[in-house]
Amino acid sequence: MTEPERATADATQKEASALRQKAMIGEHFRRLARAGETGHKVVYTFVPGNLTELLLAFDVLPVLPEINALQSGMRRKSAEYIAKAEKLGHSEDVCTYVKCDIGMLKSGNIGPTGERLPDPDLLLLSYTGCFTFMKWFELLREEYKKPVAMLHVPYQATGEITAEMVDYVVKQLRSDVIPALERLTGRSYDEAKLQEHLARSARAEDDLVWVLESAKHRPSPIDAYFGGVYYIGPIFTSFRGTEEALAYYQELRAEVESRLERGLGPVTPDGPFGPERYRLVVEGPPNWTSFREFWRMFADEGAVVVASSYTKVGGLYDTGFRHDPERPLESLARYCLGCYTNLSLPQRIGLLERYVRDYDADGLLVNSVKSCNSFSAGQLVILREVERRTGRPGAFIESDLVDPRYFSAANIKNRIESYLQMIEQRRHAGASS
Ligand code: SF4
């Protein structure tokens, strides 16, 4: 096969999993739009600490407001929604996911497929490290007049998950969350059904970890940040524990295996990646309003992201955690406790240091988003400490999640180019010393 033929074949293979994911998401939003007719109950909940398998065991449909916000950002609707929320009195400092969501619901709550999202029947607040989650659902409770079931997940302040912390979360699942779902649906908790979902989750998690760790190869067959946000889509949202997610991750893994065998790099929206020149670890969420432009700034320079913290926000699996059908509620508790947003600063530093070393990266780049205190607090300390421990240079850029006013393309591009030049200079200095 010639190189252009390989590239075409690769693009086709990439499309297979991407198309499958698109179809899965489309079907989910169609089911949501029909919830009034089918009688499905709808639960709004968050990505970090989501209890998808439990929701599926009750046959309710999840809605994830952060996903709606990021999709609004990618569809360039967020500026209008944020402006609407600010007119209603939400301060410029409020997380833009929240304002985007409020603006969207005040504009008819039209989802990414153009269909109206149903109102929630329950707000399931899984509190994993971000105080904004609480304030966000207070606003939605005011708006929809619907009950909130709260799961309080203790912060990993000392860097460990103790038996007491697990018990505390399990007790709340038994005493608050499960009864709320039983009241909502009129069904009894079916542990066997939950276990079936959890078994499927663990298998999909194995495949996801394999895909993410494929970036240890040179050249990396994936981009673990810009490409990674697509790879985490099903498992971080409404599909963990489903047959569809299993099929998606099997297909994705086969595609990446094929690229790896052929020595190919990632596929970008502009086509196959050129020669790999830089390997970076990225901390912080991406910008969604200029996502492709942002990705292109890296890809054009031959910079591939080999690991990122953002792809761990809805579950940290590459440290060994898997959902466990043998210990269903304990495993849900351990999952919530282990999400990246729930990790202490020293744990985040340790994880990123490990990524720089294990993936043999040239350094750590922090994308500090204005909106998100949960990510941004301590990022300069993280950067300096990872630099000190690894001896590899870092860089700091600033943008936002979905507020285009805070994405300054020229500034960001300039900083990325300067950073890559610095890496180049160090290489030459190292080679000549
Ligand atoms: S502050 Fe960060 S973690 Fe919290 S809701 Fe906003 S984006 Fe999510």
Side-chain angles (χ1 to χ4, degrees):
M1 210 191 281
T2 63
E3 204 44 50
E5 283 168 342
R6 278 188 189 143
T8 308
D10 190 69
T12 312
Q13 281 180 340
K14 169 80 170 70
E15 264 191 334
S17 70
L19 288 176
R20 181 187 288 275
Q21 182 174 161
K22 196 171 172 200
M24 286 160 65
I25 293 170
E27 178 53 25
H28 181 67
F29 280 100
R30 271 190 294 280
R31 289 182 75 203
L32 283 168
R34 291 199 311 267
E37 302 151 39
T38 60
H40 274 101
K41 298 294 182 190
V42 175
V43 174
Y44 283 22
T45 194
F46 291 113
V47 172
N50 71 71
L51 301 171
T52 302
E53 297 88 347
L54 187 62
L55 298 181
L56 294 175
F58 280 96
D59 204 20
V60 300
L61 296 174
V63 169
L64 298 133
E66 306 115 301
I67 302 295
N68 298 336
L70 78 82
Q71 283 175 333
S72 296
M74 289 180 112
R75 288 160 54 232
R76 303 195 176 255
K77 302 286 286 177
S78 54
E80 164 196 334
Y81 292 155
I82 290 167
K84 190 162 247 180
E86 287 181 358
K87 267 196 196 135
L88 290 168
H90 296 282
S91 143
E92 212 179 297
D93 295 329
V94 170
C95 166
T96 48
Y97 271 180
V98 180
K99 286 188 290 187
C100 186
D101 187 44
I102 299 288
M104 184 175 113
L105 80 85
K106 293 291 183 189
S107 309
N109 225 15
I110 304 300
T113 52
E115 290 165 297
R116 193 182 175 281
L117 289 172
D119 290 358
D121 297 298
L122 176 73
L123 299 161
L124 174 55
L125 170 53
S126 184
Y127 178 88
T128 44
C130 175
F131 188 70
T132 303
F133 289 153
M134 275 172 58
K135 299 313 249 176
W136 193 341
F137 269 13
E138 278 176 18
L139 292 168
L140 295 194
R141 185 182 57 190
E142 291 285 301
E143 190 67 34
Y144 293 114
K145 315 283 183 230
K146 288 292 160 62
V148 177
M150 167 134 177
L151 180 69
H152 176 242
V153 178
Y155 189 61
Q156 282 202 50
T158 59
E160 58 170 351
I161 297 174
T162 64
E164 290 75 17
M165 288 157 80
V166 175
D167 280 353
Y168 175 65
V169 178
V170 169
K171 273 186 193 141
Q172 293 175 77
L173 289 171
R174 286 195 194 285
S175 63
D176 298 326
V177 176
I178 290 174
L181 289 166
E182 287 180 329
R183 280 194 299 279
L184 179 70
T185 60
R187 295 177 183 216
S188 299
Y189 168 55
D190 181 346
E191 192 153 276
K193 202 168 172 194
L194 173 62
Q195 287 173 306
E196 285 170 24
H197 288 299
L198 292 171
R200 284 193 284 269
S201 298
R203 288 170 57 200
E205 287 155 7
D206 280 343
D207 285 336
L208 173 65
V209 169
W210 188 92
V211 166
L212 293 177
E213 291 192 337
S214 71
K216 288 180 181 171
H217 293 267
R218 276 179 189 266
S220 169
I222 63 161
D223 185 288
Y225 186 54
F226 297 103
V229 300
Y230 292 99
Y231 305 154
I232 57 176
I235 221 161
F236 279 15
T237 60
S238 314
F239 301 98
R240 204 179 59 222
T242 63
E243 291 289 352
E244 292 98 315
L246 261 185
Y248 169 80
Y249 285 102
Q250 282 164 3
E251 186 163 50
L252 176 67
R253 179 172 173 162
E255 288 171 0
V256 176
E257 273 170 350
S258 166
R259 286 214 290 277
L260 194 58
E261 277 165 20
R262 290 178 289 146
L264 297 177
V267 177
T268 75
D270 298 325
F273 200 81
E276 178 184 295
R277 296 180 61 210
Y278 307 100
R279 295 168 64 83
L280 303 177
V281 172
V282 172
E283 146 72 13
N287 164 272
W288 300 109
T289 47
S290 301
F291 183 78
R292 286 192 171 198
E293 187 181 0
F294 194 28
W295 188 348
R296 202 171 288 127
M297 288 177 194
F298 291 75
D300 284 353
E301 300 292 329
V304 65
V305 181
V306 288
S308 66
S309 54
Y310 184 70
T311 50
K312 317 295 156 27
V313 71
L316 193 59
Y317 300 109
D318 58 352
T319 51
F321 171 82
R322 295 288 180 277
H323 283 89
D324 181 358
E326 297 304 314
R327 288 186 288 272
L329 295 184
E330 178 187 330
S331 135
L332 285 175
R334 287 188 179 276
Y335 156 75
C336 293
L337 286 156
C339 286
Y340 188 78
T341 49
N342 206 45
L343 300 189
S344 67
L345 211 57
Q347 285 174 294
R348 295 182 193 201
I349 291 169
L351 188 71
L352 291 163
E353 177 196 356
R354 180 166 80 72
Y355 286 161
V356 171
R357 292 187 198 284
D358 290 358
Y359 289 77
D360 198 14
D362 294 298
L364 172 69
L365 179 116
V366 174
N367 179 36
S368 185
V369 296
K370 178 197 154 292
S371 280
C372 180
N373 290 332
S374 184
F375 261 100
S376 305
Q379 274 178 330
L380 269 175
V381 176
I382 291 176
L383 182 70
R384 294 295 166 236
E385 189 56 19
V386 173
E387 277 185 321
R388 190 187 67 75
R389 291 186 193 182
T390 61
R392 299 178 203 189
F396 198 84
I397 56 175
E398 290 169 282
S399 67
D400 188 53
L401 296 160
V402 290
D403 191 335
R405 291 172 296 185
Y406 297 97
F407 187 83
S408 166
N411 273 343
I412 293 172
K413 190 168 169 31
N414 204 1
R415 285 209 189 176
I416 292 169
E417 286 173 0
S418 305
Y419 177 46
L420 299 177
Q421 278 168 16
M422 178 168 65
I423 291 172
E424 202 65 58
Q425 280 163 3
R426 288 217 187 177
R427 280 181 188 163
H428 289 306
S432 59
S433 61

